[in-house]
Amino acid sequence: MCNKFDYTTHNNWLKYAATILIAFVYIISAIYTNNLQYGKTPIKQDPAGYYCYLPSVFIYHNLNSGYLFWKHEFARNYYKEYGYQPERWFLYHGKNGRWVIKFSCGVALCELPFFLTACLCSKICGFPIDGYSFFFKLFFIICNLTFSFLGLYALYKLLKSYFKEQIAIITIIITALCTNYYYYSCIVIGMSHIFNFFFATVLLHNWLSFLKEQTIKKFCISSFCMGMIVLIRPTDCVYGIFLFMLLALDKKLPIFITFLKSCRIKVLYFVACFFSPLLVQMIFWKFAAGTFVFYSYANEGFDFLHPHILDGLLSIKKGWLIYTPIMIFALAGLKLCRKNYSIALLIALAIHCWIVFSWWSWWYGGSFGCRVMILFYPALAIPMAKLLGKVKTKFAIFAVGFIIAFFSYWNVLQSYQVQKGILHYENTDWELYKKSLFRIK
């Protein structure tokens, strides 16, 4: 008979060890890869576009981001002051001929408290209040790390509601160190995926609670989080399909309709909570582009008849399961979940893959692995935890520990390789992949 392993006396030790380990790895990685010295900045590429709203509105009072152009005094002095030129490729023309930021403002709203803190610190310490000096770069990094940790903590609270604490902690370690959540938490700072991971986790936690007991509080929190998810990354609206499928498959749709009918003001709550974040973007578009709804991606679009689903999942270029293989176990764990949950998640994942891999740049530019799948990591953490719950014997526990340690090492190593150019950020093929195995320089 196999000996059972009792986790109980190890919970506190495991919790503190996991917290220290993740915090240490994330903070050291962020410091190492995001240089704040002259000529360096973490505010670059896509993150520079998300962030651009803040200095545009609060410092330069120019919704068209004119301060980025050479005719502006800031732009003329920018290279001399910081050693690099300001990026402005993310500005597109509206119908009125004005420049409009390509990305939506959801990430900027999340960054706002940190931006204002940077303004205050810069003023106190005598640094330029221009949106790009030392404290702005520092708090840009702090913001991303904060939301990374908040997302993991929210996932811990979600998992702890349904699983033993040690299972929740181990699942957090897997998410934090074995997936590309790590890469976007501390290496490429300021991308939308970390912020939407946080809101998707809070949303799922509240929605599962709402399905059990319909309360206005859970409903409002869920509505607001869904609104933020759409604002931060509009294509992530597919997450709502997953929630609706849970509602329908659990046969809670009639109860939900009755809940709405019982007090019409509840519908107003939904409208206010869901659309309040989106209203911010619509107002910005009205002032900047002259219309409440504006497609800011110009000629970029989808080809829904020719999606690259297999490439997105399995190609060496950016395949999700190639660069985040630990998620194979999460998919396997769907067999252990409630049938309705598994069906809802599989349907939502299928629709999500069809949409995101129909984008003209299905590999999503310079990135590590498939970043668009991070949205569903909170939902996939539940089948992962279910699978871990089946681990009982000492041998199985040691085997799981080895697998987690190896995939953590592999994930951190490959993240480092992409950051250093050993693996190409966009065009890796099998030859380059084989040559890069275990290389650190």
Side-chain angles (χ1 to χ4, degrees):
M1 182 181 292
C2 296
N3 295 324
K4 296 292 183 72
F5 186 82
D6 183 11
Y7 283 105
T8 307
T9 59
H10 299 269
N11 282 353
N12 288 334
W13 174 86
L14 184 61
K15 183 195 301 183
Y16 296 137
T19 302
I20 293 171
L21 173 64
I22 294 170
F24 176 80
V25 172
Y26 273 40
I27 293 172
I28 294 299
S29 297
I31 294 172
Y32 176 76
T33 58
N34 292 277
N35 196 325
L36 302 181
Q37 296 177 355
Y38 178 82
K40 302 291 184 179
T41 183
I43 309 173
K44 57 187 176 183
Q45 300 169 350
D46 287 17
Y50 293 119
Y51 173 81
C52 186
Y53 283 93
L54 299 176
S56 295
V57 173
F58 292 98
I59 296 178
Y60 301 101
H61 312 294
N62 187 329
L63 295 180
N64 299 309
S65 305
Y67 74 95
L68 290 175
F69 291 92
W70 292 116
K71 63 183 179 181
H72 194 281
E73 181 181 357
F74 169 78
R76 291 197 300 269
N77 297 330
Y78 191 94
Y79 184 83
K80 180 179 179 181
E81 182 73 23
Y82 299 111
Y84 53 90
Q85 293 182 354
E87 296 186 55
R88 54 184 182 273
W89 58 268
F90 45 77
L91 298 177
Y92 282 175
H93 271 112
K95 293 181 179 179
N96 56 5
R98 297 178 180 178
W99 291 100
V100 183
I101 300 171
K102 176 180 180 178
F103 305 108
S104 55
C105 66
V107 172
L109 286 181
C110 297
E111 294 170 338
L112 179 57
F114 300 87
F115 174 84
L116 296 177
T117 304
C119 288
L120 179 60
C121 291
S122 296
K123 184 175 182 179
I124 293 173
C125 299
F127 283 79
I129 305 177
D130 58 11
Y132 297 88
S133 58
F134 173 78
F135 281 108
F136 292 97
K137 294 191 288 186
L138 176 63
F139 279 95
F140 186 79
I141 296 173
I142 292 174
C143 171
N144 203 84
L145 284 175
T146 299
F147 270 90
S148 299
F149 293 138
L150 285 175
L152 294 174
Y153 179 73
L155 183 59
Y156 167 74
K157 298 293 287 186
L158 166 64
L159 294 172
K160 195 178 175 183
S161 299
Y162 301 96
F163 301 96
K164 294 179 179 179
E165 186 172 35
Q166 65 272 14
I167 298 298
I169 294 169
I170 296 171
T171 307
I172 295 299
I173 294 173
I174 292 173
T175 304
L177 298 178
C178 299
T179 74
N180 54 349
Y181 184 85
Y182 160 78
Y183 184 81
Y184 293 101
S185 292
C186 46
I187 294 181
V188 174
I189 301 292
M191 293 293 284
S192 62
H193 312 288
I194 295 303
F195 299 95
N196 261 2
F197 177 94
F198 167 73
F199 287 108
T201 306
V202 176
L203 172 54
L204 182 58
H205 193 185
N206 279 273
W207 190 250
L208 292 176
S209 299
F210 177 78
L211 292 180
K212 295 180 180 178
E213 182 180 356
Q214 290 73 36
T215 65
I216 292 179
K217 179 181 177 182
K218 299 292 184 183
F219 183 58
C220 289
I221 293 175
S222 299
S223 301
F224 176 77
C225 288
M226 192 67 236
M228 284 299 300
I229 287 172
V230 175
L231 177 63
I232 290 172
R233 191 173 178 85
T235 53
D236 285 355
C237 64
V238 72
Y239 203 73
I241 296 176
F242 170 52
L243 304 180
F244 178 80
M245 291 298 300
L246 286 177
L247 185 74
L249 292 174
D250 282 350
K251 299 181 179 179
K252 297 291 180 67
L253 190 56
I255 298 175
F256 179 67
I257 295 174
T258 302
F259 168 78
L260 294 178
K261 287 182 176 179
S262 63
C263 181
R264 292 187 177 181
I265 197 171
K266 294 175 183 176
V267 179
L268 296 179
Y269 287 151
F270 165 77
V271 171
C273 292
F274 177 75
F275 284 102
S276 56
L278 302 179
L279 185 61
V280 176
Q281 184 66 58
M282 294 173 69
I283 292 173
F284 179 88
W285 277 336
K286 180 61 178 177
F287 281 100
T291 177
F292 284 110
V293 178
F294 175 72
Y295 186 75
S296 58
Y297 283 78
N299 297 324
E300 300 178 55
F302 298 88
D303 184 0
F304 292 114
L305 296 179
H306 303 93
H308 291 262
I309 295 176
L310 288 180
D311 289 328
L313 296 177
L314 298 172
S315 74
I316 196 63
K317 183 182 180 76
K318 285 294 176 66
W320 176 47
L321 297 178
I322 297 295
Y323 290 97
T324 313
I326 197 73
M327 280 300 167
I328 295 173
F329 294 97
L331 294 174
L334 285 171
K335 292 184 178 181
L336 305 174
C337 293
R338 289 189 305 111
K339 184 177 180 179
N340 290 345
Y341 184 90
S342 299
I343 293 174
L345 183 52
L346 285 173
I347 291 174
L349 281 172
I351 297 174
H352 180 65
C353 289
W354 175 57
I355 292 174
V356 298
F357 296 131
S358 293
W359 185 245
W360 73 273
S361 176
W362 61 266
W363 61 93
Y364 290 88
S367 58
F368 173 53
C370 187
R371 56 188 172 91
V372 293
M373 298 302 292
I374 293 176
L375 173 70
F376 280 92
Y377 287 2
L380 288 166
I382 290 179
M384 180 73 79
K386 280 280 188 181
L387 193 63
L388 290 171
K390 293 296 182 179
V391 178
K392 301 295 184 180
T393 66
K394 285 185 178 181
F395 175 78
I397 290 169
F398 287 129
V400 168
F402 174 80
I403 291 172
I404 294 173
F406 174 78
F407 280 120
S408 295
Y409 161 77
W410 195 245
N411 181 64
V412 173
L413 172 64
Q414 290 196 321
S415 298
Y416 169 84
Q417 289 177 324
V418 172
Q419 195 265 338
K420 288 295 183 181
I422 299 171
L423 278 175
H424 197 271
Y425 57 83
E426 189 171 13
N427 292 316
T428 294
D429 56 22
W430 278 110
E431 286 300 317
L432 178 60
Y433 188 82
K434 288 186 290 185
K435 291 179 181 178
S436 70
L437 290 176
F438 301 103
R439 284 179 53 196
I440 59 174
K441 58 182 178 180

